[in-house]
Amino acid sequence: MAYPGHPGGGYYQSGYGAAPGGPVFPGQTQDPLYGYFAAVAGQDGQVDADELQRCLTQSGISGGYKPFNLETCRLMISMLDRDMSGKMGFNEFKDLWAVLNGWRQHFINFDSDRSGTVDPQELQKALTTMGFRLSPQTVSAVAKRYSTNGKITFDDYIACCVKLRALTDSFRRRDAAQQGVVNFQYDDFIQSVMSI
């Protein structure tokens, strides 16, 4: 699946955003999203998980679906946080906004009954269209992890997409031969998984 401005499937070849934080660059103040970012970011010019949660809840990006939980916001920030500060700057915020809108549209496309949830079969179709090639057993495990009573809400769908993407990126960085097999040292494995 390709998102506006982002070619490709389940992960993006070019990475995700630029370096976190940093100074205001010329032209940012003209960006319509910058005013919103500046209002949310506060004094430090960065957005942390609490600020992101308030921002996404107030923005209405989730439509009629439940607001984002704090853990989902932490996951989204960890996907962008190159300096391990626990926060993101404007460029990452802007990229996140674009990807969230893409994932929202994707979710709506697979929420065929407009219930605000997708079931495990719809999740499998969605993941396949994003380029994730997972076995039925893996999709079942993912669906169980992110569903409540067999239904996956938008918030949990986003958490699932973020985690799958981050794990895939981590795996691919270690899969130099692109064979689908890597060897992890225990400490490297724990760092990879715990940083997501």
Side-chain angles (χ1 to χ4, degrees):
M1 171 174 174
Y3 303 114
H6 296 286
Y11 87 110
Y12 306 113
Q13 300 274 354
S14 63
Y16 197 88
V24 175
F25 297 103
Q28 278 186 345
T29 54
Q30 275 73 358
D31 191 306
L33 209 54
Y34 187 76
Y36 192 64
F37 170 80
V40 171
Q43 294 290 328
D44 64 356
Q46 301 272 315
V47 173
D48 65 20
D50 292 319
E51 292 164 334
L52 183 59
Q53 181 186 42
R54 281 192 302 275
C55 166
L56 294 175
T57 300
Q58 293 170 358
S59 74
I61 193 168
S62 62
Y65 308 127
K66 75 178 189 174
F68 286 90
N69 69 40
L70 191 56
E71 183 59 24
T72 302
C73 293
R74 287 183 185 126
L75 283 170
M76 288 187 281
I77 288 176
S78 73
M79 185 172 66
L80 301 168
D81 190 14
R82 303 296 178 238
D83 67 355
M84 306 306 276
S85 68
K87 299 178 180 185
M88 68 179 151
F90 176 65
N91 290 331
E92 294 79 20
F93 181 81
K94 186 176 175 178
D95 288 345
L96 177 64
W97 199 259
V99 172
L100 279 174
N101 278 309
W103 279 336
R104 179 175 177 257
Q105 187 58 49
H106 198 245
F107 182 86
I108 289 168
N109 290 342
F110 286 94
D111 179 15
S112 55
D113 63 357
R114 301 295 179 246
S115 65
T117 63
V118 292
D119 63 32
Q121 293 78 23
E122 292 167 326
L123 176 66
Q124 180 165 6
K125 290 176 190 171
L127 295 176
T128 300
T129 64
M130 283 191 277
F132 293 108
R133 290 178 288 284
L134 304 171
S135 70
Q137 297 83 357
T138 301
V139 172
S140 178
V142 169
K144 286 177 188 171
R145 165 66 177 87
Y146 290 98
S147 67
T148 303
N149 298 322
K151 298 291 184 177
I152 302 157
T153 64
F154 180 64
D155 185 22
D156 289 330
Y157 180 81
I158 293 299
C160 175
C161 290
V162 169
K163 189 161 274 197
L164 276 173
R165 189 214 136 137
L167 288 169
T168 299
D169 286 349
S170 180
F171 186 90
R172 286 190 182 190
R173 280 193 301 275
R174 289 160 178 83
D175 186 11
Q178 298 297 299
Q179 297 295 312
V181 177
V182 296
N183 289 319
F184 277 91
Q185 290 184 359
Y186 177 70
D187 194 55
D188 186 29
F189 171 75
I190 295 299
Q191 284 182 37
S192 294
V193 174
M194 294 305 283
S195 67
I196 300 167

